[in-house]
Amino acid sequence: KVRNSAVRTLFQTLCTHGQKLSLSMWEDCLWIYVFPMLEHVSHLASTSSKDEWHGKELGTRAGKAVHMLIHHSRNTAQKQWDETIVLLLGGIARLLRSFFPLLQQLSKFSSGWAILLAFLKNSILNGSKEVALAAINCLQTFVSSNCPKGNLESSFVKSVLDIYELVLQTSPNYKSDSADKVKQEVLRGLGDLYVQAQSLFNDDMYLRLMAVMHLMIKSSMNSSDYDSELGSIPAVQRGILEIIPMLRPTTMLSSMWSPLLLELLCYLNGEESPLHRNSKEIREQNSDALANGTKRSSVEQGHINGTGTKGDTVVGCGWGILFIEKLVPIMVNLFLEAPPNERCSASPQVIQGLGRCMNTRRDNPRGTLWRVSAECFNRVVTDEVRQENAECGSDMNSYRLSRARFWKEVADVYETFLVGSCGRVLSSDVPSADSATADESLEMTVLTVFGDSVLKLQKEAPVEVLQRLVNCLDRCASRTGSLPIQTVGLLPLHCSRFSLGCLQMMFSLCSCILKTSSYPAVSETSKVSISILTKRCEVILGQFLADENDLGDRPLPSVRIEETVCVLQELARLILDIETANALNIPLYLKDALRENQSHGRAHLLSLLPTFSELVVSR
């Protein structure tokens, strides 16, 4: 108590009357009292006894001795010295907060700063939980109190980053009961350092920060964490999710958007981070022992996670599904905030990563990852389709290449998700009514975005991609017609409704009753869609006739009747523009006649006339 009271008194006096002290008096206080005290207390704390004390015997009760109670946090000499270190660190934090500009004027400040950093580093790595947290708080207080005032130079920010970097590089070997809490606080300190000192960060410092983040992320992939199975996220991963949104690059660091996005995507795709590979020079500065320890940790983690690396089978490469669910919207929000030219280069990978997460529906249809990813995919693809060419930089060749890759990935996602998952029975387990309704609603939302926000609004999709996308709709619309008459009636209602929705979307794509502002793009989509649509109509109407002949007087399944009636009604309503009508496979002289009579809007009826003629004799 006397020792701790003396420490409090010393720092209270310095903080209260520090403005009145001369520089020489400050140097005496620091070099005669404060720094020697740091070294002495640190030595005593590391060498003091860990044996537990028992309080003085006060008497007896029922024949048993009664001892004075000593709190468990103070029942050893080492714990009491640790409390003194915590008080010292708190006092130093107050000095740095109030007098840092003055302290910089001292002749020996640079050597004192080096001593302090070494003490803080040792406290975090080797101290107890309380000591480590007090050292981290000292750094955080120093940064948050001096950065807004403009008192810090880049060298001081780098020195703090060095400590965080060393601690997190050592974290794979950092084994103690308080390790997770310390890691969380270091993570918060890392995020706060960037937020407070953004103007002092350059590209190299930002890449170092990202490399440190990667090491922390790798160290948190621990097979002994069962929190995810219990419905919660491990503490360290929660800390990671908290600071990722803080790392958005500033205007001066705009080139760092791509490394940030690709770093986050590697955890969705189950791949090694490109940034991690490029930052090997930083990590090679560690000792050989640390490098070997990190390597062993990586090998062991690879053994735990298995050998699969494809996102279709291993999403997150050892990460908990709950973590990925939280990471997906964070990544998408950052992507949508990025400058257009940076988004252009990252958009194909973002679409691919979201698609892989959406594909988890096949193995876990009741999970929420695919739902979250589908909603985020709708946001991304809608926003990307609306981007203007001029906003994506002057290098048009690079832009075209990136957009071609973007459209290829979009087609891949829709083909896999719509055809492989939507409107299908994915599990033998009967889901709850609310879950089934929510799933069907999300499927229809994906379909609506696909048609209204992608196919109708696109302005640059290659023709071959448009054909793939419309064929994707056609394959979903063909499901009921492809089933034999004996089993089509067993199709669940949500499946037939989705197929019918795809069929109606194809009609909508061909209709010319649309906004004139998007007419060129819609016309291109309509020209691709009309031939596919007329073939689908021929198949559906022909299947109706075939089924009717097979059944004789027996009634047709309601699914088949609804589909046929829908086709006839939509054909009656459909109006084509002249370019779409010219894309129909009908003789040239008929196209000329329709154009002269201004009857091109009904040209599809003429192309289907043979099929209609056969339907006249049906029941």
Side-chain angles (χ1 to χ4, degrees):
K1 291 182 178 179
V2 173
R3 180 174 70 236
N4 291 348
S5 296
V7 171
R8 290 191 184 95
T9 301
L10 171 63
F11 285 104
Q12 181 65 34
T13 302
L14 289 175
C15 291
T16 303
H17 304 290
Q19 297 290 355
K20 302 175 183 178
L21 301 180
S22 64
L23 293 180
S24 60
M25 181 65 73
W26 267 108
E27 288 188 348
D28 290 343
C29 289
L30 293 180
W31 289 102
I32 297 177
Y33 298 104
V34 176
F35 288 123
M37 190 187 310
L38 281 180
E39 296 177 356
H40 186 58
V41 170
S42 179
H43 172 71
L44 291 175
S46 61
T47 58
S48 57
S49 173
K50 298 182 180 179
D51 297 335
E52 293 187 4
W53 295 337
H54 298 286
K56 181 180 179 182
E57 186 174 331
L58 301 177
T60 59
R61 174 181 291 179
K64 296 182 179 180
V66 177
H67 294 272
M68 180 184 295
L69 294 177
I70 300 179
H71 195 269
H72 67 87
S73 64
R74 302 292 180 269
N75 61 358
T76 69
Q78 186 187 53
K79 290 179 181 179
Q80 293 195 0
W81 279 111
D82 283 346
E83 174 63 17
T84 302
I85 293 179
V86 171
L87 291 175
L88 278 171
L89 290 170
I92 290 172
R94 294 171 63 189
L95 292 183
L96 293 175
R97 180 178 58 204
S98 303
F99 301 105
F100 182 71
L102 185 148
L103 297 177
Q104 283 183 284
Q105 301 176 29
L106 302 179
S107 58
K108 297 182 180 180
F109 176 76
S110 57
S111 4
W113 179 249
I115 293 173
L116 177 59
L117 289 180
F119 180 76
L120 292 172
K121 178 172 60 180
N122 181 65
S123 298
I124 298 173
L125 289 174
N126 303 314
S128 65
K129 175 183 175 181
E130 289 75 14
V131 170
L133 294 179
I136 296 169
N137 181 68
C138 182
L139 288 173
Q140 290 174 330
T141 302
F142 165 69
V143 171
S144 60
S145 59
N146 288 286
C147 276
K149 300 175 184 177
N151 293 335
L152 291 188
E153 298 176 358
S154 180
S155 59
F156 292 105
V157 176
K158 287 181 180 179
S159 63
V160 176
L161 181 59
D162 288 340
I163 293 181
Y164 289 146
E165 184 178 44
L166 178 63
V167 170
L168 297 183
Q169 285 175 338
T170 312
S171 62
N173 301 323
Y174 189 27
K175 306 296 182 184
S176 71
D177 295 336
S178 60
D180 282 354
K181 179 62 178 176
V182 172
K183 289 176 186 177
Q184 273 188 289
E185 289 304 313
V186 173
L187 277 169
R188 291 194 180 98
L190 194 64
D192 186 62
L193 175 66
Y194 177 70
V195 170
Q196 298 290 343
Q198 286 179 343
S199 59
L200 300 176
F201 268 73
N202 54 29
D203 288 0
D204 179 65
M205 292 174 66
Y206 190 88
L207 288 175
R208 283 183 60 194
L209 184 148
M210 291 300 301
V212 170
M213 273 293 303
H214 182 83
L215 288 177
M216 174 53 68
I217 289 173
K218 295 290 286 186
S219 70
S220 71
M221 292 192 292
N222 191 339
S223 62
S224 63
D225 288 332
Y226 295 103
D227 295 21
S228 296
E229 298 177 9
L230 302 176
S232 62
I233 300 175
V236 174
Q237 294 185 7
R238 286 198 300 272
I240 293 170
L241 291 171
E242 287 176 10
I243 75 162
I244 287 176
M246 302 179 185
L247 302 182
R248 53 175 56 83
T250 61
T251 304
M252 296 183 293
L253 299 172
S254 60
S255 62
M256 293 294 103
W257 276 103
S258 290
L260 174 62
L261 294 172
L262 295 179
E263 176 75 9
L264 300 180
L265 282 167
C266 78
Y267 306 119
L268 268 62
N269 296 341
E271 300 170 352
E272 184 182 4
S273 163
L275 180 62
H276 183 58
R277 293 194 297 268
N278 293 338
S279 63
K280 287 182 179 178
E281 293 182 0
I282 297 176
R283 299 197 306 279
E284 286 173 356
Q285 296 174 1
N286 298 334
S287 65
D288 292 339
L290 178 59
N292 292 335
T294 305
K295 183 177 181 181
R296 285 196 302 272
S297 176
S298 300
V299 171
E300 291 168 359
Q301 187 61 45
H303 176 71
I304 290 168
N305 293 333
T307 57
T309 57
K310 292 184 179 180
D312 291 345
T313 56
V314 181
V315 173
C317 194
W319 287 83
I321 293 296
L322 289 177
F323 176 85
I324 300 298
E325 288 178 15
K326 302 295 184 182
L327 179 62
V328 165
I330 292 174
M331 180 203 69
V332 167
N333 288 337
L334 287 171
F335 173 77
L336 295 177
E337 293 177 19
N341 59 323
E342 298 297 332
R343 285 175 51 170
C344 281
S345 59
S347 59
Q349 291 93 330
V350 171
I351 293 295
Q352 182 187 64
L354 292 174
R356 289 186 175 188
C357 292
M358 291 162 68
N359 292 344
T360 59
R361 185 182 188 187
R362 294 179 301 184
D363 300 322
N364 188 18
R366 293 193 178 187
T368 54
L369 175 58
W370 73 267
R371 297 181 175 92
V372 171
S373 302
E375 292 170 353
C376 289
F377 175 81
N378 284 341
R379 291 177 58 198
V380 170
V381 75
T382 299
D383 203 76
E384 277 297 294
V385 168
R386 294 172 179 171
Q387 291 293 317
E388 296 292 338
N389 300 14
E391 296 179 1
C392 295
S394 57
D395 188 354
M396 290 305 297
N397 289 331
S398 176
Y399 168 77
R400 291 191 184 99
L401 179 62
S402 178
R403 295 304 283 182
R405 292 179 57 209
F406 164 79
W407 281 109
K408 183 264 181 188
E409 295 296 341
V410 168
D412 287 347
V413 171
Y414 277 125
E415 284 181 344
T416 304
F417 187 67
L418 284 181
V419 179
S421 297
C422 292
R424 287 190 177 277
V425 182
L426 298 176
S427 174
S428 58
D429 297 334
V430 179
S432 64
D434 291 342
S435 177
T437 301
D439 289 354
E440 183 178 3
S441 175
L442 181 54
E443 288 180 351
M444 297 307 295
T445 300
V446 172
L447 176 62
T448 301
V449 170
F450 180 34
D452 294 342
S453 300
V454 177
L455 287 173
K456 291 181 182 178
L457 296 183
Q458 65 78 27
K459 300 177 181 178
E460 57 185 0
V463 174
E464 58 272 17
V465 171
L466 284 178
Q467 290 173 338
R468 286 181 62 188
L469 294 174
V470 177
N471 278 324
C472 176
L473 274 179
D474 184 54
R475 290 170 65 186
C476 293
S478 68
R479 287 182 188 146
T480 54
S482 62
L483 293 174
I485 193 66
Q486 295 81 8
T487 59
V488 69
L490 302 177
L491 193 68
L493 287 177
H494 78 275
C495 297
S496 59
R497 282 195 292 259
F498 184 79
S499 293
L500 210 58
C502 292
L503 183 62
Q504 290 171 325
M505 182 58 70
M506 292 177 67
F507 277 100
S508 178
L509 294 177
C510 296
S511 175
C512 71
I513 307 175
L514 296 166
K515 295 180 180 179
T516 56
S517 60
S518 60
Y519 179 79
V522 171
S523 178
E524 191 63 39
T525 304
S526 299
K527 288 188 291 185
V528 171
S529 303
I530 190 62
S531 58
I532 299 174
L533 176 63
T534 52
K535 290 179 181 177
R536 178 56 45 206
C537 292
E538 288 178 359
V539 170
I540 291 173
L541 298 178
Q543 186 67 50
F544 179 85
L545 286 173
D547 290 343
E548 188 180 62
N549 291 334
D550 291 342
L551 290 175
D553 295 334
R554 288 175 294 167
L556 273 73
S558 59
V559 174
R560 194 75 89 214
I561 295 175
E562 289 174 2
E563 184 180 48
T564 306
V565 170
C566 174
V567 168
L568 294 174
Q569 290 176 339
E570 293 293 340
L571 285 171
R573 283 194 288 262
L574 182 61
I575 303 294
L576 305 180
D577 61 54
I578 190 167
E579 293 186 12
T580 306
N582 288 334
L584 283 168
N585 186 22
I586 58 177
L588 182 59
Y589 71 90
L590 288 178
K591 293 181 181 179
D592 293 338
L594 289 170
R595 184 167 55 253
E596 291 175 3
N597 296 328
Q598 296 185 348
S599 303
H600 54 268
R602 314 294 286 173
H604 56 285
L605 300 180
L606 187 59
S607 69
L608 291 170
L609 182 59
T611 305
F612 291 146
S613 299
E614 295 180 8
L615 282 174
V616 171
V617 297
S618 70
R619 294 200 306 269

